[in-house]
Amino acid sequence: MVSSKVEDSLNNQILLEGESSQFYLSMASWAENQGYVGTSSFLYRQADEEREHMLKLIKYVNERGGVARIPSISEPPTEFDCLTNVFESLLSHELNITAKINSVVHICLQEQDYTTHNFMQWFVSEQIEEEATARGILDRIKLTGSEKGGLYLFDRDLENLIGGSISVPSAGK
Ligand code: OFO
């Protein structure tokens, strides 16, 4: 059984994962309209993953005797300046999510809920990977440059990466 404090923090995390999914969906749609095929596939997939994270939390809360709240989600930004802007926004969003996950973990320890603490470790590891992926992608954009030809190459590169794994090599997914 989860305590009400743990239940509330998990429900807040459900909202955040749902918001992440919608945010990445909006980025994916923007990239698709700009003709960035690889980037949009990557982001559609990220949006699906975030929804999976939300579902994982919903099921956990219900299994542990709590009640998962299904939140309404406000409309995410729809306009982005450029690909660099998209991935900078993604990285800063992930950094914020990491901080939120850490605070859930902190509450678990305060409440002596070691079962939920253990469950949350999956999210802790996932954040390490996602931050590394976002940083790796930003490094690639810097390497290819912001000229049209460079961005085309970057986008094609990202499409190839999705064929195997969404992580850049250094992220080790
Ligand atoms: Fe849910 O993993 Fe990122 O936000």
Side-chain angles (χ1 to χ4, degrees):
M1 185 87 187
V2 282
S3 71
S4 61
K5 242 180 138 179
V6 169
E7 182 179 358
D8 284 349
S9 72
L10 291 173
N11 270 316
N12 186 51
Q13 198 59 39
I14 288 170
L15 165 66
L16 294 169
E17 300 293 338
E19 283 177 344
S20 300
S21 179
Q22 294 296 88
F23 191 25
Y24 297 162
L25 200 50
S26 179
M27 289 177 177
S29 174
W30 176 87
E32 188 163 54
N33 283 329
Q34 305 298 314
Y36 293 124
V37 178
T39 304
S40 70
S41 309
F42 171 83
L43 291 165
Y44 277 125
R45 189 156 146 180
Q46 285 300 106
D48 283 349
E49 283 200 6
E50 297 300 345
R51 185 180 147 77
E52 287 297 320
H53 299 170
M54 179 179 68
L55 290 175
K56 205 175 168 79
L57 286 156
I58 289 171
K59 291 188 173 168
Y60 180 82
V61 171
N62 290 338
E63 266 168 23
R64 299 283 304 150
V67 177
R69 288 197 302 269
I70 309 304
S72 65
I73 292 167
S74 51
E75 189 180 348
T78 50
E79 286 301 323
F80 302 91
D81 294 340
C82 57
L83 282 182
T84 309
N85 177 235
V86 165
F87 286 104
E88 278 172 352
S89 305
L90 188 145
L91 176 59
S92 86
H93 185 78
E94 287 302 331
L95 292 173
N96 183 41
I97 296 294
T98 300
K100 303 291 187 189
I101 284 178
N102 288 343
S103 60
V104 177
V105 171
H106 184 67
I107 289 168
C108 291
L109 289 176
Q110 279 179 334
E111 296 288 293
Q112 299 187 336
D113 181 345
Y114 301 113
T115 309
T116 307
H117 181 272
N118 189 42
F119 166 76
M120 288 306 295
Q121 295 313 303
W122 184 88
F123 288 87
V124 170
S125 311
E126 180 71 11
Q127 285 310 119
I128 295 170
E129 277 189 15
E130 289 191 349
E131 283 181 26
T133 299
R135 284 197 186 91
I137 288 174
L138 279 168
D139 286 346
R140 271 174 190 250
I141 295 181
K142 277 180 205 141
L143 281 174
T144 51
S146 55
E147 298 299 314
K148 277 214 154 62
L151 290 177
Y152 172 77
L153 282 179
F154 161 81
D155 188 64
R156 214 182 45 186
D157 221 20
L158 203 49
E159 197 173 11
N160 292 336
L161 278 172
I162 297 163
S165 153
I166 58 162
S167 300
V168 294
S170 64
K173 188 157 189 180

